[in-house]
Amino acid sequence: MPRIPVRTGVTLNYESSGDGEPLLLIMGTSGSIQLWGELTGRLEQTHRVITFDNRGLGGSDRGTGPISVGALAEDASALLEALEVPSAHVLGWSLGSAVAQELALAHPEQVRSTVLYATWARADGFQRAVLSALRTPYVHRDMEAALAASGIAFSPQLLDHPDFGALLEPMLPAFPQNEAQMQVTVEQWDADLAHDTLDRLGAITAPSLVVVGEQDLLTPPWQARKVADAIPGARFELVTGAGSSHGLHIERPEDLTKIVTGFLGEHAGA
């Protein structure tokens, strides 16, 4: 995978595949490119899909300075500039959706549309409890406990599947691989907890789609609904039924792809 310098001290690992209008995918907490699974292959049938590892994870350098949602948005902006992509549709998952919000606010000229998948604008008490619990194993560098806790991102149906362990194994390289990456993940959880755009979302001008699963416990549907209500003209899509978890793109990639490509098709040429 190629690497490209984007800001002082920050070189990002990225992939670009497919043809069509550019679509930037921004990964969630603790993950690297591989965690997109088959979603990338599905989306590249209609778009030029650009994926990358956030600073300090996967093949990307940590760089200097604090890891905040705003800083990660500046990385994404700089990546588009480095790739000579004037503007792109942007899909962010979880932490990536928070980054997409800040990118749309700070650099509206670079954002053709936003797909905010598993999103929130300000953590409430329930969400803070969940995020804080998920953060703790990384603080203690206990990867086994971190992976066990990450099960909350999946549906009861997948967790009870007899082949769950075998299904999860190919995704293990997408998680932190050493102590330095675990520390970066702690900083990402802190960025999640500090994220707050609720009073600013009304300034987003890009056409926006908010997607969430009804079984999502990390970014619950009521939190995603607040985002959709705050962005002028935003569309809200609640995916229901088995597999409608925080990891919707892993459990129901076909359904998510249909929703996303339908929305992007309406805003082609934006």
Side-chain angles (χ1 to χ4, degrees), residues 1-6 10-18 23-27 32-34 36 40 48-61 75-76 78-85:
M1 289 181 281
R3 284 161 42 89
I4 191 167
V6 296
V10 179
T11 297
L12 297 182
N13 183 54
Y14 77 97
E15 289 184 346
S16 179
S17 57
L23 171 61
L24 180 69
L25 270 55
I26 309 179
M27 175 50 64
S32 55
I33 287 173
Q34 301 98 310
W36 287 117
T40 303
R48 175 191 174 189
V49 178
I50 302 166
T51 57
F52 68 100
D53 294 329
N54 283 311
R55 59 163 66 200
L57 292 181
S60 293
D61 296 340
D75 289 348
L79 176 62
L80 290 177
E81 289 185 9
L83 294 176
E84 298 183 350
V85 176

Side-chain angles (χ1 to χ4, degrees), residues 15 27 45 88 101 113 138 140 155 169 199 214 248 260-261:
E15 289 184 346
M27 175 50 64
Q45 302 303 309
Q101 292 172 29
S113 70
Y138 288 96
H140 296 288
S155 69
E169 189 170 353
D199 296 333
E214 69 171 345
L248 189 65
V260 170
T261 56

Side-chain angles (χ1 to χ4, degrees), residues 110-133:
Q110 290 184 297
V111 179
R112 301 186 187 192
S113 70
T114 65
V115 177
L116 305 174
Y117 157 41
T119 196
W120 79 107
R122 178 188 296 155
D124 61 8
F126 176 85
Q127 191 179 15
R128 293 187 71 84
V130 173
L131 296 177
S132 296

Side-chain angles (χ1 to χ4, degrees), residues 250-265:
I250 295 169
E251 298 201 50
R252 291 174 57 178
E254 183 176 357
D255 292 335
L256 182 60
T257 300
K258 183 177 179 180
I259 292 169
V260 170
T261 56
F263 172 77
L264 295 178

Side-chain angles (χ1 to χ4, degrees), residues 81-157:
E81 289 185 9
L83 294 176
E84 298 183 350
V85 176
S87 64
H89 301 283
V90 179
L91 183 156
W93 172 46
S94 197
L95 169 61
S97 76
V99 174
Q101 292 172 29
E102 291 287 11
L103 180 63
L105 287 165
H107 301 281
E109 74 285 352
Q110 290 184 297
V111 179
R112 301 186 187 192
S113 70
T114 65
V115 177
L116 305 174
Y117 157 41
T119 196
W120 79 107
R122 178 188 296 155
D124 61 8
F126 176 85
Q127 191 179 15
R128 293 187 71 84
V130 173
L131 296 177
S132 296
L134 290 169
R135 174 185 182 275
T136 300
Y138 288 96
V139 173
H140 296 288
R141 309 297 192 254
D142 188 342
M143 198 62 211
E144 183 177 355
L147 289 172
S150 72
I152 197 174
F154 302 114
S155 69
Q157 294 80 19

